[in-house]
Amino acid sequence: MTLWLYLHFPSLQLDALFRQPDVGIKPLIIVDEKRNEVVQLSQLAIDEGIRVGMGLGSASSLCSELKVLPYQQQVESRLLKRIAHWLYSVTADIALYPPNGLLLRVSNMLTLHQNLNSYWQHLAQHLNRLALSYHYATGYSPYAARMLARQRLDHICADQHYLQQKIAEQPLICADLEPKVINHLAKVGVHCFDDLLSLSLPALSKRFNIEVVNYIGRLTGQLQHPVNFYIPPEHFEQYLELYYEVSNLQYLEKPLLKLYQLLDRYLRLKDKLAAEVLLVLHQRDSDDLSFSVTAAQGEYRADKWKQLTQLSLESIKLNAPVIAITLKVTRTLNKYAQRVDLFKGSQGSLSSSELVSILSAKLGKDKIKGLQIAHDDRPEVANQLTAPFSVQAKILKSELLRPSLLLPTPVPPTEAIQIVSCPERVVTGWWDDHPVVRDYFIGRSETGRWLWLFKDKNQQWFIHGMFS
Amino acid sequence: MNKLIDILQHQHLVWQGSKKATVSVGESSGYQTLDEQLAGGFTQGVTEIQSEPGIGELRLLLPLLKQAFSQERLVVFIAPQGIVSAQALAAQGFELDKVLIVYPDDQQQALWAAEQCLRSGACHSVVMWLNQALEVHQIKRLQVASHTGNSHQFILRVNKAESLSLPFDLSMSLQAHEQGVLARINKRKQGWPSGDFTIGMADYWPALTVQARPDNVVHFPKVKVS
């Protein structure tokens, strides 16, 4: 059976707000407007006696200096994606359970780790960097893991018997069922999972409706539970909401550094460099202000990016206070790995095709050429430019003495030239639209330049190349 | 005080004994006279060659460039003034699938492309034709790149276009000569400038040298007897 791990983030919106720890801050609560109850609250608010589930009225009567934010589900969903993206470097199969849960498939990852504990240690270490509060539990089905994590089991274990027992202990209220269905079950005296689990699926389907059967079937792993796994986008984009509004650009330094540190880590994991980033400052009641910062060489270090950004910030004027920042990488480069040769010292290690792709990305494909020899006696036809690496070297041989540089179009000579060779007659091309009747000579000009010239059938002289 | 030293160091006005002089043995240029003058051959770094076009400046480099193929590396020509002839290179034993030609729009792009090629390590040499003035920092960047990628950079131009001296690893000027080219080393890292010396090319291109007139021929008298 597959082992699953569920991560439940009870206060995602609260944890993700940017807060400066040293400033004396007010107690903060996040209130669900629809239900008018406190859903998330900071430690200071707990100290004041406020609890989850209280109404806004009773909360504000307990504390006079209360900061209240509305609960926004889409903010949490966005943050959840960010966490999934973050964890993707450590674990492969992640499913999103918006607004505040992540389901991870553990079994496949265990082949890479010694045991479940080392896997969890590795994962938790990575997750703790985000400094979020979370609850977790394992289970042999997605529903089991989810239910136990939401019940704050906070225990990692693969013991089937123990998990079974834990599930059986839980009250039915925490099941992922409609309140109506739970009510209905309570009326017939079913309060605990144990009551349902002791029955077989056919027996359940006789007594209860299809929803309950499906749920229990999936919980116990008897029915298939399809899971959509998260596939990370190939780019870096981070959104950071500020705890307070910033109208002085200098105060953006710290939140920016936080974003750049994430970028730093992202790039380091991918072994890439960012060449250009786009910063969007979301202003209150005003249009977003966006500007890009570039590093010609490519850079990944957070402090360097901060430095570069400060330079650009100097020329920027805010229309309204900033409430949030988005950082997006618009161009990345491959890091030039340094290959160190014992005798020759460090060497770049880019393959030739990588080099060509870099060059053609910036200059354009038609600017990078390779060489080819066509089997033709006309020099301008024989010496061709093609796409790089498109020809085989073995078949291209030539024994003729030819100038190293051919002029794109032959030009009449402007100085006295002494002919030093016998003529080489080229009469060909009568079958296509480019007939050639020429006598080629090697000449040496008065200044000592070695030229390749020809006399055409009208007895006119042209320079066609240089033996440079 | 420290700041002052930093500034002086930055301007390369202070030489420190602790700096280890890295003596790198150059790659043979293929011409014995030139190798002797350069104490081994071309070292990696940026080499400037001032010459009129067409006197043999590119042919001077071809034996060196050919060594790229034994190392399975590329030779890149940037901004050639014409079409680099595949036949001419093939006659010299070049492997054409290891030759790249880059036609940049301007000098800025040319320098950028050269830097990428040098740094990549995939290229043995980069030959670049330039005709505008260069700046010190541009040469420095090419130098760093060529050391990273262990590659050679050759800059071919007609004459010096700037008033100040640029930090080339090697600067040579070439003049036409009947037996090859007449070369002179203008400046060189870890070495002295030289006087003029002839580099004979008759071994590689016998057809492109002026045959010495035999001195035992007596011209037939053309004086009319009256």
Side-chain angles (χ1 to χ4, degrees):
Chain A
M1 273 170 98
T2 335
L3 186 66
W4 302 82
L5 170 68
Y6 192 88
L7 298 169
H8 174 62
F9 302 94
S11 55
L12 201 49
Q13 192 183 350
L14 181 81
D15 290 339
L17 281 177
F18 178 75
R19 278 172 294 167
Q20 242 166 346
D22 49 326
V23 182
I25 45 170
K26 299 172 188 170
L28 173 75
I29 57 169
I30 293 173
V31 176
D32 189 341
E33 285 170 309
K34 269 186 210 152
R35 291 183 290 161
N36 187 31
E37 60 179 39
V38 177
V39 286
Q40 295 172 21
L41 69 174
S42 66
Q43 188 56 45
L44 280 173
I46 296 174
D47 295 345
E48 293 285 344
I50 304 170
R51 294 288 175 267
V52 173
M54 273 184 178
L56 179 58
S58 39
S60 51
S61 64
L62 280 168
C63 176
S64 55
E65 279 200 325
L66 198 60
K67 190 168 164 59
V68 183
L69 283 178
Y71 173 70
Q72 287 168 299
Q73 197 167 335
Q74 70 268 33
V75 170
E76 287 212 323
S77 305
R78 192 164 54 202
L79 289 168
L80 195 66
K81 244 184 210 165
R82 195 174 112 186
I83 300 168
H85 192 79
W86 179 253
L87 288 182
Y88 194 76
S89 57
V90 177
T91 188
D93 299 327
I94 303 173
L96 300 173
Y97 276 73
N100 54 12
L102 286 181
L103 179 71
L104 319 178
R105 186 158 65 183
V106 179
S107 299
N108 296 1
M109 292 306 294
L110 288 183
T111 48
L112 298 178
H113 293 266
Q114 271 179 330
N115 51 34
L116 183 61
N117 274 334
S118 76
Y119 165 74
W120 169 246
Q121 232 170 22
H122 192 69
L123 184 79
Q125 198 181 17
H126 194 68
L127 184 60
N128 288 341
R129 274 180 213 274
L130 293 177
L132 300 165
S133 63
Y134 58 91
H135 297 285
Y136 55 91
T138 45
Y140 278 98
S141 69
Y143 273 150
R146 175 174 156 88
M147 197 262 292
L148 290 174
R150 290 167 72 96
Q151 286 302 101
R152 311 190 172 184
L153 184 66
D154 292 354
H155 184 67
I156 296 292
C157 122
D159 181 1
Q160 213 163 344
H161 184 69
Y162 170 82
L163 288 172
Q164 191 76 31
Q165 193 193 336
K166 277 287 165 198
I167 294 168
E169 280 172 17
Q170 305 303 326
L172 255 190
I173 307 166
C174 58
D176 268 326
L177 286 168
E178 297 274 317
K180 207 174 77 184
V181 180
I182 296 172
N183 261 338
H184 178 74
L185 288 169
K187 275 180 195 161
V188 295
V190 180
H191 297 285
C192 207
F193 273 95
D194 198 19
D195 304 335
L196 288 176
L197 294 179
S198 52
L199 291 173
S200 69
L201 272 191
L204 269 179
S205 59
K206 261 186 211 164
R207 290 168 176 80
F208 301 107
N209 62 6
I210 188 70
E211 272 178 64
V212 178
V213 178
N214 267 343
Y215 180 74
I216 295 297
R218 286 180 177 187
L219 183 79
T220 52
Q222 295 171 70
L223 294 182
Q224 279 286 329
H225 189 157
V227 175
N228 285 330
F229 288 113
Y230 168 75
I231 298 164
E234 253 305 297
H235 64 268
F236 178 89
E237 187 171 353
Q238 287 284 1
Y239 172 86
L240 181 69
E241 197 159 329
L242 301 174
Y243 178 55
Y244 43 79
E245 295 174 349
V246 171
S247 41
N248 187 338
L249 279 171
Q250 282 184 339
Y251 294 157
L252 280 180
E253 211 173 287
K254 283 269 167 62
L256 273 177
L257 186 62
K258 187 180 164 172
L259 280 175
Y260 281 134
Q261 275 161 354
L262 288 173
L263 174 69
D264 183 322
R265 226 185 124 66
Y266 167 83
L267 291 171
R268 222 183 287 199
L269 287 174
K270 295 249 167 184
D271 200 26
K272 288 205 167 183
L273 299 173
E276 187 175 359
V277 298
L278 181 77
L279 266 174
V280 183
L281 303 177
H282 303 278
Q283 305 183 95
R284 191 192 62 203
D285 304 331
S286 184
D287 286 343
D288 292 349
L289 189 71
S290 59
F291 60 96
S292 53
V293 186
T294 48
Q297 288 282 317
E299 184 56 69
Y300 71 94
R301 278 167 295 179
D303 49 338
K304 295 278 175 192
W305 271 115
K306 200 188 85 182
Q307 241 173 19
L308 288 170
T309 313
Q310 269 167 350
L311 294 175
S312 330
L313 279 177
E314 278 168 12
S315 58
I316 277 173
K317 257 190 95 174
L318 289 178
N319 305 327
V322 179
I323 53 172
I325 313 172
T326 301
L327 175 68
K328 192 174 168 181
V329 177
T330 41
R331 199 151 52 84
T332 55
L333 298 174
N334 281 330
K335 209 160 158 182
Y336 291 102
Q338 297 280 302
R339 194 176 57 197
V340 178
D341 188 289
L342 187 58
F343 299 107
K344 290 172 188 162
S346 69
Q347 279 181 300
S349 65
L350 209 61
S351 75
S352 24
S353 52
E354 277 174 312
L355 175 69
V356 168
S357 67
I358 287 176
L359 292 177
S360 48
K362 168 123 180 180
L363 304 178
K365 257 198 171 130
D366 52 327
K367 299 280 164 66
I368 318 294
K369 296 287 185 192
L371 290 178
Q372 192 188 7
I373 298 176
H375 294 288
D376 199 292
D377 288 322
R378 289 165 288 184
E380 58 267 56
V381 182
N383 297 288
Q384 284 185 335
L385 297 174
T386 65
F389 313 132
S390 58
V391 283
Q392 288 231 312
K394 303 283 173 289
I395 52 166
L396 303 176
K397 286 277 180 286
S398 169
E399 294 300 325
L400 301 164
L401 180 60
R402 287 283 178 266
S404 36
L405 284 180
L406 282 175
L407 301 183
T409 47
V411 292
T414 51
E415 55 188 328
I417 296 167
Q418 194 186 354
I419 301 297
V420 294
S421 75
C422 356
E424 177 187 340
R425 178 156 292 182
V426 176
V427 180
T428 183
W430 42 266
W431 57 85
D432 55 22
D433 282 341
H434 185 49
V436 157
V437 182
R438 293 170 184 169
D439 279 344
Y440 276 96
F441 298 89
I442 296 169
R444 189 167 192 264
S445 78
E446 279 180 333
T447 50
R449 300 168 63 198
W450 292 95
L451 303 168
W452 203 45
L453 22 127
F454 66 80
K455 191 166 73 170
D456 68 3
K457 59 183 173 188
N458 303 325
Q459 305 299 311
Q460 276 181 320
W461 288 89
F462 291 95
I463 298 176
H464 199 183
M466 291 185 292
F467 294 89
S468 71
Chain B
M1 189 63 192
N2 273 335
K3 209 174 174 189
L4 182 66
I5 293 177
D6 280 345
I7 293 169
L8 290 174
Q9 273 183 337
H10 193 68
Q11 295 173 341
H12 299 282
L13 296 173
V14 176
W15 180 82
Q16 282 180 320
S18 62
K19 240 181 224 168
K20 225 168 71 186
T22 49
V23 181
S24 48
V25 182
E27 270 185 88
S28 169
S29 65
Y31 299 94
Q32 206 187 346
T33 32
L34 185 57
D35 284 352
E36 279 166 16
Q37 290 287 338
L38 295 175
F42 288 111
T43 52
Q44 52 173 262
V46 185
T47 303
E48 177 204 38
I49 293 176
Q50 299 173 10
S51 94
E52 277 287 307
I55 60 167
E57 70 279 11
L58 186 57
R59 282 184 285 137
L60 183 71
L61 300 177
L62 292 185
L64 172 78
L65 300 187
K66 229 164 67 178
Q67 296 177 21
F69 309 121
S70 60
Q71 302 171 13
E72 295 277 304
R73 291 165 87 191
L74 302 178
V75 173
V76 184
F77 296 98
I78 297 178
Q81 289 159 345
I83 296 157
V84 176
S85 162
Q87 284 177 310
L89 295 185
Q92 288 301 311
F94 270 58
E95 293 176 21
L96 294 182
D97 62 338
K98 296 213 165 55
V99 178
L100 280 184
I101 321 282
V102 180
Y103 289 100
D105 288 334
D106 50 28
Q107 180 155 315
Q108 200 62 35
Q109 279 194 356
L111 288 166
W112 178 84
E115 194 185 334
Q116 298 297 319
C117 294
L118 289 173
R119 195 171 50 179
S120 69
C123 301
H124 175 270
S125 328
V126 177
V127 183
M128 177 161 60
W129 282 261
L130 291 180
N131 43 25
Q132 289 168 31
L134 287 161
E135 287 170 40
V136 174
H137 71 92
Q138 291 168 335
I139 305 300
K140 287 266 172 198
R141 284 184 74 145
L142 291 179
Q143 254 165 5
V144 170
S146 75
H147 284 286
T148 310
N150 192 16
S151 45
H152 299 267
Q153 166 74 55
F154 296 98
I155 295 177
L156 300 183
R157 49 190 196 157
V158 177
N159 45 34
K160 205 175 148 185
E162 54 282 302
S163 51
L164 74 165
S165 154
L166 292 174
F168 292 113
D169 291 287
L170 170 67
S171 169
M172 287 170 64
S173 44
L174 304 181
Q175 280 174 330
H177 189 272
E178 291 189 341
Q179 297 304 315
V181 287
L182 191 65
R184 167 203 282 273
I185 295 171
N186 301 325
K187 76 179 265 186
R188 180 153 90 87
K189 227 179 195 178
Q190 292 158 18
W192 299 101
S194 76
D196 291 342
F197 57 94
T198 319
I199 302 173
M201 291 183 170
D203 293 346
Y204 293 102
W205 291 275
L208 298 178
T209 50
V210 178
Q211 301 297 325
R213 293 224 177 92
D215 54 1
N216 56 352
V217 177
V218 179
H219 285 279
F220 193 77
K222 283 185 179 174
V223 183
K224 279 184 187 168
V225 182
S226 53

